[in-house]
Amino acid sequence: MKPIRIALTKGRLEKDTTRLFEQMGLDCTELLQKGRKLILSIPNAGLEVVLAKAADVITYIENGVCDLGVVGKDTIMEYGGSFFEVMDLGFGRCRFALAGKKGADFYAGYGEKTIATKYPNVSRGFFKGKGMDIRVVRIEGSVELAPLLGLADGIVDIVETGTTLRENGLEVIEDVAPISARVIVNTVSMKLRKAEIEGLLHRMEEAVFLPDALYRNHTVPIRPNSQIKAAVDGLAV
């Protein structure tokens, strides 16, 4: 039978997902010894893993060349797409935040604000919800520089500990949205390979929500995750 193909975001999410697969008892030898290979096999689970950049994970899922993907909520929010978002894996936690120069009143005055960011769609959506028009300046490097150089009034970026902000004289003004790793599924794959995919998702769910030792040594009754059920019932997220 054709293996289920799952795209993993390279880097931290790849490593965290590999650890999850190991908790599930999967043979991750190829993943742990991958070298420069980008397509790898998990033979005892009928899985084929594709390693890709975050935005490309969404592209591969949308176009049906991969069945499932693990990608950050930040990428989903910025790029969108047509797929099912079925599970929050709980790792890779951080947040989108609006930040600016320490002590400055970002919301003072009535003029248009300028926001520097790597995430223009997330930024526009956040301020649209506040009824505010903004000018977005896209920055590919260290967005913290923009307020310091007078290029922007504030930034919208991913914040984990806030250390980089503090060390550069910036502070969080307001949280925008929480971020964590999510599982997304191709819409056609969910219909044609429902039993296989649903089974894999339930195994992942139990490994995420139960302690390692308990998962390995206890048979757990399967209970439908509400997100999985929504996807199986055909509710796109």
Side-chain angles (χ1 to χ4, degrees), residues 62-227:
E62 277 200 292
N63 286 277
V65 296
C66 291
D67 302 297
L68 296 89
V70 174
V71 69
K73 182 65 174 180
D74 54 314
T75 305
I76 294 171
M77 290 177 65
E78 179 62 22
Y79 292 94
S82 178
F83 48 78
F84 294 120
E85 179 186 332
V86 297
M87 190 185 300
D88 181 348
L89 291 173
F91 50 71
R93 289 195 180 280
C94 47
R95 68 193 194 275
F96 274 125
L98 168 65
K101 293 173 78 170
K102 189 173 182 179
D105 186 353
F106 176 82
Y107 289 110
Y110 297 95
E112 183 182 63
K113 302 296 183 181
T114 299
I115 299 297
T117 185
K118 300 173 187 175
Y119 304 93
N121 293 327
V122 171
S123 300
R124 290 190 184 98
F126 174 67
F127 284 102
K128 182 179 180 181
K130 292 178 171 293
M132 292 178 61
D133 292 325
I134 60 167
R135 173 176 172 259
V136 172
V137 177
R138 188 177 185 115
I139 300 291
E140 295 299 332
S142 299
V143 294
E144 295 85 3
L145 281 170
L148 303 178
L149 297 175
L151 177 63
D153 299 293
I155 65 174
V156 171
D157 201 17
I158 293 174
V159 175
E160 191 166 359
T161 64
T163 301
T164 302
L165 294 177
R166 290 190 294 272
E167 289 183 354
N168 287 281
L170 305 178
E171 63 183 359
V172 171
I173 298 167
E174 188 175 350
D175 286 344
V176 174
I179 298 170
S180 58
R182 308 299 171 98
V183 180
I184 60 175
V185 184
N186 173 267
T187 55
V188 175
S189 296
M190 181 63 90
K191 295 175 183 177
L192 298 182
R193 308 190 71 174
K194 175 182 173 182
E196 297 167 84
I197 291 174
E198 193 175 5
L200 175 62
L201 292 173
H202 283 311
R203 290 186 66 190
M204 293 174 71
E205 179 192 22
E206 298 300 350
V208 166
F209 293 107
L210 285 178
D212 295 356
L214 179 61
Y215 179 77
R216 288 194 299 268
N217 298 299
H218 184 67
T219 301
V220 182
I222 301 255
R223 63 185 189 284
N225 178 292
S226 60
Q227 298 175 71

